[in-house]
Amino acid sequence: MAMRAAVMFSPRPAAERPLDVVEFGEPQPKRGEVLIEVLACGVCRTDLQLCEGDLTTRALPIVPGHQVVGTVVELGRGVDTIEVGARVGVAWLGSTCGVCRFCRDGRENLCEQAQFTGWDRHGGFAERVSARADFVYPLPHELDPIDAAPLLCAGAIGLRSLRVSGIRPGQRLGLYGFGASATCTIQIARHWGCEVYVSTRSADERERAAEMGAVWTGSYDEQPPRPLDAAITFAPSGDVVIHALRALDRGGIVAINAIHLDRMPEFDYGDLWWERQIRSVANVTRSDVRELIDLAAAIPIRTTVQRYSLEQANSALDDLQSGRVHGAAVVVPGAG
Ligand SMILES: [Zn+2]
Ligand SMILES: [Zn+2]
């Protein structure tokens, strides 16, 4: 059986349309897997970095997309935890070994054998996708599939970044960049009673951040008016990490929410002194995703989405690259 999919055969700049929308072999659910009809798939900066070659490809051709909301349509052998017709989500972490030192102590995001959706395994820029049954997340039918899609990576990695940053309720948090992930993160931070300071180069994004309750907004090189307890950087730029570091109070942490950074510039040791830390945020665990789904319902987290059909998947990448996406881009295969 064939299906329509946006497939990356070789990386190239977003403006040169790295995805080909073609008939592609429909995935067959293997033992322990389910086949899912895709209702919506969010577009993440990681998809863009993979398609442009910033992130090394691990399988080619590959169907990118790792924020999938869909309906289970077929069960592979041995699956008895989920039923046909269930609404589920699929996220970045596609499988882990389950036995290594990281998997056994709750850090499966660091598993050396981990496979990732839309990087090692075909992802959700397609009509259908297969996934390990133990790596899908049941979602309530009331949740709008298109609005929920960006929660699965942008939201979940935002939650993990907050944890890595060490921020506590009532403290001052800086967000550097204000795309899909930061717009989820600010809602969680505000729910926790944090004061949020947002730095971004786009005036539109600064305006949206202020509407969402940021107490201060500015450009990357403007210093927030008070020292920050923690900061999260979303822009894939090492210079921005250093701006964030310089805004920290003593003992503060910068969490870098990026799988790829342009470079890490040299900086003065004085900026790191007083037990400041720079930490990367690598992937998410399944419990991060589950917690985020619960938190999204409880707060509730609102997402703003821009919809694209499968045929427009290249436009989604190009818009993300050029800063033309307000909120999150979502590919809707049924909209073609
Ligand atoms: Zn992602
Ligand atoms: Zn492992």
Side-chain angles (χ1 to χ4, degrees):
M1 277 256 289
M3 61 168 185
R4 304 281 295 164
V7 186
M8 202 264 286
F9 290 92
S10 67
R12 52 182 182 270
E16 293 171 29
R17 307 178 64 80
L19 296 168
D20 288 317
V21 182
V22 294
E23 297 287 316
F24 202 62
E26 179 174 296
Q28 298 299 310
K30 299 193 186 101
R31 184 174 182 85
E33 293 184 349
V34 294
L35 182 67
I36 296 161
E37 177 141 307
V38 179
L39 298 171
C41 184
V43 183
C44 176
R45 183 161 291 275
T46 302
D47 300 314
L48 173 65
Q49 291 177 334
L50 175 69
C51 289
E52 292 204 308
D54 287 331
L55 186 62
T56 309
T57 52
R58 305 220 303 195
L60 278 178
I62 186 79
V63 179
H66 57 271
Q67 306 186 85
V68 183
V69 178
T71 309
V72 174
V73 290
E74 194 182 325
L75 306 180
R77 281 181 302 119
V79 175
D80 56 9
T81 51
I82 204 157
E83 286 176 358
V84 167
R87 172 73 53 84
V88 294
V90 181
W92 174 239
L93 191 66
S95 84
T96 56
C97 77
V99 296
C100 74
R101 60 201 183 284
F102 301 112
C103 284
R104 277 183 322 210
D105 77 356
R107 295 185 293 164
E108 64 180 0
N109 59 309
L110 304 182
C111 174
E112 289 169 349
Q113 307 298 321
Q115 295 213 315
F116 299 96
T117 311
W119 195 19
D120 301 288
R121 302 177 55 103
H122 292 310
F125 293 173
E127 290 174 317
R128 279 173 286 283
V129 64
S130 67
R132 262 177 65 169
D134 52 348
F135 281 78
V136 304
Y137 308 89
L139 296 174
H141 278 275
E142 308 84 75
L143 213 55
D144 181 88
I146 298 169
D147 291 338
L151 297 172
L152 290 160
C153 186
I157 193 91
L159 176 61
R160 186 168 189 90
S161 301
L162 282 164
R163 296 253 161 77
V164 169
S165 82
I167 192 80
R168 292 194 301 274
Q171 288 189 323
R172 288 190 294 273
L173 173 73
L175 301 179
Y176 286 73
F178 203 70
S181 190
T183 56
C184 293
T185 309
I186 191 174
Q187 294 175 69
I188 302 169
R190 297 254 301 133
H191 180 69
W192 289 349
C194 298
E195 265 181 24
V196 183
Y197 297 73
V198 173
S199 298
T200 171
R201 115 189 118 189
S202 144
D204 279 0
E205 288 180 354
R206 288 199 290 271
E207 199 171 305
R208 281 195 308 121
E211 281 165 17
M212 296 183 78
V215 295
W216 175 89
T217 64
S219 58
Y220 288 132
D221 49 7
E222 274 178 86
Q223 190 82 353
R226 302 169 71 191
L228 305 172
D229 296 299
I232 302 171
T233 65
F234 299 90
S237 150
D239 288 329
V240 170
V241 173
I242 301 307
H243 286 308
L245 180 66
R246 291 181 180 145
L248 289 182
D249 204 351
R250 294 178 179 198
I253 298 175
V254 180
I256 304 174
N257 179 338
I259 192 168
H260 165 82
L261 211 58
D262 56 352
R263 76 198 169 99
M264 201 60 213
E266 192 177 311
F267 62 92
D268 201 84
Y269 179 59
D271 294 332
L272 192 62
W273 174 239
W274 294 116
E275 299 194 348
R276 295 183 182 94
Q277 298 177 51
I278 299 178
R279 296 186 63 185
S280 61
V281 182
N283 313 317
V284 287
T285 64
R286 281 173 283 179
S287 85
D288 291 329
V289 180
R290 283 188 211 106
E291 278 176 51
L292 186 277
I293 291 167
D294 291 346
L295 205 51
I299 293 179
I301 297 178
R302 311 253 178 238
T303 54
T304 309
V305 298
Q306 264 174 236
R307 301 170 183 214
Y308 298 84
S309 67
L310 204 49
E311 280 65 28
Q312 295 167 324
N314 281 303
S315 307
L317 294 179
D318 196 27
D319 288 351
L320 186 59
Q321 212 281 336
S322 319
R324 287 190 299 262
V325 176
H326 297 283
V330 177
V331 170
V332 184

